[in-house]
């Protein structure tokens, strides 16, 4: 039998998940600034005091929604970067990771991308650090690929990263899981559209 | 000398522009649902009754912000599509048009992309028709390019369009006019990243 403490920890986790789910749903429907913490508590069936036990403020909720996908994304991108694959292959894998995260965390991603500008500066900074980590990982793949002669080096590294990630990120606007294309099909197409153009063709003097 | 009616029409235009500028600024800073029509009027220095003479509701304001860039975008895209250039060249021109619109209408584009989900369904439908027009224009270029053997035809037309436009649209999140890259430099890089990969290489049997 699980200990009382384990049960309590599990209940706490469950309650926090429920609060986050309700928050994502309300932020999605009526906007971050149009939703009160009181409303989130009521909808989640939790008293105000219990709610504040789990979250410190509405901004913390938005940050927690970001955590739900960024931690997994960084973790999976680090795994991709650490493989022995070529730079074009790694970039295709990166596209696959981002599309799969957008698929599995659609409400959190949507709400976060719409509403991140509403976060207080200090909180935004900690989030920017995580996004910088994503950027560094992708930039490293592009730079290594250029150095190895696998990628064209006449296009700016940052614009390549912004282009590839932008193509994927924008999918939060139109991609719905279970509709016409799977995230794998989209990733495969985007791999052609965004990556083939920057791959150095084999013949060019190597 | 201009007629009284012309002066009045000009003043009305000026007042409406001012209301739209204030609305874009407030929606940008505090969100659409966090901004009241009263606040917009106060900030624009216009009485409530005068304000309602110019706009019917807050949703109409958001729609008007969309009009400010979508009409120009459709117009310029139609011009691109009607030229005799090749499909890859037209796609590069399309990227150029979208980036230049994002540059010249940054606040309106940003606010619209963040807040469009807040529009009432009937209003959203009329906006969807305009966006459909953009999609049709781009799809036509891609289809014609495939038929002419200028573009790879093993990637879905819709995913190519979503990829190319997504890469550009996402720039509303990071592109600031006057910073490191000009919209022309970005368009040139995106032309390579997003389009070279789908161009049929000359040698392949033609």
């Amino acid at each position: 039998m699980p200990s009382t403490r384990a049960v309590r920890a599990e209940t706490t986790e469950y309650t926090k998940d429920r609060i986050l789910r309700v928050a994502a749903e309300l932020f999605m429907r009526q906007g971050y600034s149009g939703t009160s913490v009181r409303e989130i508590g009521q909808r989640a069936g939790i008293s105000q005091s219990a709610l504040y036990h789990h979250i410190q403020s509405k901004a913390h909720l938005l940050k927690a929604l970001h955590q739900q996908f960024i931690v997994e994304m960084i973790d999976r991108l680090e795994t991709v970067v650490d493989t022995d694959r070529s730079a074009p292959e790694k970039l295709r894998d990166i596209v696959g990771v981002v599309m799969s995260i957008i698929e599995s965390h659609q409400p959190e991603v949507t709400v976060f991308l719409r509403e991140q500008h509403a976060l207080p500066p200090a909180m935004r900074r900690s989030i920017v650090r995580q996004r910088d980590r994503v950027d560094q990982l992708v930039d490293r793949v592009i730079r290594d690929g250029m150095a190895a002669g696998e990628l064209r080096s006449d296009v700016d590294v940052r614009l390549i990263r912004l282009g590839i990630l932008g193509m994927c990120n924008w999918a939060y606007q139109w991609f719905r899981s279970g509709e016409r294309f799977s995230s794998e099909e989209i990733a495969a197409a985007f791999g052609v559209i965004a990556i083939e153009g920057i791959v150095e063709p084999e013949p060019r003097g190597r």
Side-chain angles (χ1 to χ4, degrees), chain A:
Chain A
M1 256 180 64
S3 70
T4 314
R5 186 174 294 172
V7 169
R8 206 174 285 150
E10 216 170 82
T11 311
T12 300
E13 209 36 59
Y14 173 76
T15 307
K16 199 172 173 193
D17 276 355
R18 182 149 49 103
I19 295 170
L20 286 175
R21 221 170 36 245
V22 168
E25 196 189 304
L26 289 176
F27 291 166
M28 185 107 140
R29 206 166 51 224
Q30 56 200 40
Y32 175 77
S33 53
T35 304
S36 67
V37 172
R38 173 184 298 272
E39 205 174 348
I40 295 166
Q42 280 166 349
R43 191 67 63 102
I46 295 163
S47 72
Q48 289 304 300
S49 62
L51 187 65
Y52 280 107
H53 168 74
H54 290 283
I55 55 138
Q56 292 170 263
S57 72
K58 195 165 75 160
H60 281 87
L61 269 178
L62 190 52
K63 192 183 164 189
L65 290 176
H66 183 247
Q67 290 303 112
Q68 289 201 311
F69 63 89
I70 197 74
V71 173
E72 181 186 336
M73 186 183 290
I74 291 174
D75 196 54
R76 289 175 63 184
L77 290 180
E78 282 173 343
T79 307
V80 166
V81 173
D82 283 344
T83 60
D84 289 333
R85 292 158 70 77
S86 71
E89 285 170 331
K90 283 183 186 177
L91 288 179
R92 273 180 221 112
D93 290 344
I94 287 170
V95 169
V97 167
V98 178
M99 289 310 306
S100 125
I101 298 270
I102 291 178
E103 177 164 42
S104 58
H105 293 80
Q106 221 238 321
E108 299 90 318
V109 171
T110 302
V111 163
F112 181 77
L113 291 178
R114 272 186 203 158
E115 308 283 7
Q116 54 176 327
H117 58 95
L119 284 172
M123 222 175 252
R124 215 177 312 172
R125 271 194 293 278
S126 95
I127 278 171
V128 164
R129 271 196 298 276
Q130 289 171 310
R131 306 190 81 81
D132 283 349
R133 178 73 187 137
V134 171
D135 293 349
Q136 282 159 8
L137 288 166
V138 179
D139 285 356
R140 194 202 300 170
V141 170
I142 298 169
R143 276 209 194 86
D144 289 353
M146 287 178 174
E150 294 164 341
L151 298 179
R152 290 174 60 148
S153 46
D154 58 344
V155 185
D156 185 86
V157 173
R158 187 164 164 249
L159 290 180
I160 292 178
R161 183 238 302 153
L162 286 164
I164 294 176
L165 291 184
M167 186 176 277
C168 298
N169 288 344
W170 184 254
Y172 91 92
Q173 286 262 1
W174 57 268
F175 175 48
R176 298 293 170 269
S177 188
E179 286 188 6
R180 185 161 159 202
F181 300 106
S182 70
S183 64
E184 290 84 5
E185 285 169 318
I186 298 168
F190 282 5
V192 173
I193 302 164
I195 296 160
E196 303 266 308
I198 53 167
V199 172
E200 274 290 5
E202 216 60 68
R204 273 189 217 164
R206 239 165 311 117

